[in-house]
Amino acid sequence: MAESKDLKLNIVVIAGDIATGKSVFIHRFATSTYKLLGHTIGCGYYEKSISVDKTKVQLNIWDTNSLGGTRSLLPVYLDGTEGIILTYDIQSQKSFLSASEMIPIINQNCDKKVNRVFVGLKCDLRQNRAVLQDDAQELRNHK
């Protein structure tokens, strides 16, 4: 029988604008509970353990707000990260454009091999969609 191993991964979550739903999304993933949260000030932190095959994976998740003075700290959070989740609110073209503005910062501070996931949030409100799926796909392809 193969021996199990442990792995720790640092994940940085970035959103371009306030109120995209990023913190609620991360809180739900990390705790398996839904809770409306206020605006993130500075940076939030979560830990989540998952199993992948026989490997225990410890995720260290940094919830950044990417605004104002915090944006200048992004290189610190990005240093050594193994994954990035870039989020935007599908109801807000401004949110989507702000998220796309993060790509050069990510490219300057991360290896191209760093795993990146683009997530459109608030899909339950798709009747108010402002960001077309084709535009989101194009953003994903220009990482």
Side-chain angles (χ1 to χ4, degrees):
M1 177 179 240
E3 198 173 305
S4 69
K5 55 186 174 180
D6 293 344
L7 180 65
K8 289 188 178 185
L9 298 176
N10 291 310
I11 309 295
V12 177
V13 182
I14 301 171
D17 274 343
I18 202 161
T20 61
K22 168 188 54 58
S23 294
V24 172
F25 168 73
I26 294 305
H27 178 82
R28 173 86 168 112
F29 171 73
T31 68
S32 299
T33 61
Y34 177 79
K35 180 179 179 182
L36 287 176
L37 301 168
H39 302 303
T40 301
I41 298 173
C43 186
Y45 176 77
Y46 291 91
E47 292 180 350
K48 172 86 175 186
S49 291
I50 61 173
S51 292
V52 179
D53 296 324
K54 295 185 180 199
T55 302
K56 178 183 173 188
V57 181
Q58 173 72 34
L59 300 173
N60 300 316
I61 306 167
W62 297 93
D63 175 6
T64 67
N65 74 9
S66 308
L67 296 173
T70 308
R71 185 176 283 197
S72 65
L73 293 175
L74 279 177
V76 174
Y77 292 111
L78 294 171
D79 184 34
T81 191
E82 287 90 7
I84 297 167
I85 301 172
L86 183 62
T87 65
Y88 60 92
D89 177 351
I90 68 162
Q91 303 173 100
S92 169
Q93 189 68 30
K94 182 177 182 250
S95 166
F96 180 74
L97 293 173
S98 292
S100 68
E101 291 171 359
M102 295 290 105
I103 292 175
I105 295 169
I106 293 167
N107 289 341
Q108 290 171 2
N109 293 282
C110 291
D111 189 296
K112 288 278 188 189
K113 296 178 184 176
V114 168
N115 293 303
R116 302 163 192 216
V117 177
F118 298 93
V119 180
L121 300 175
K122 301 185 183 179
C123 291
D124 56 321
L125 302 171
R126 69 181 58 104
Q127 70 275 13
N128 300 326
R129 177 181 286 278
V131 178
L132 300 175
Q133 289 177 317
D134 288 345
D135 293 339
Q137 184 68 31
E138 185 175 330
L139 174 65
R140 188 188 74 79
N141 292 336
H142 282 78
K143 59 182 178 176

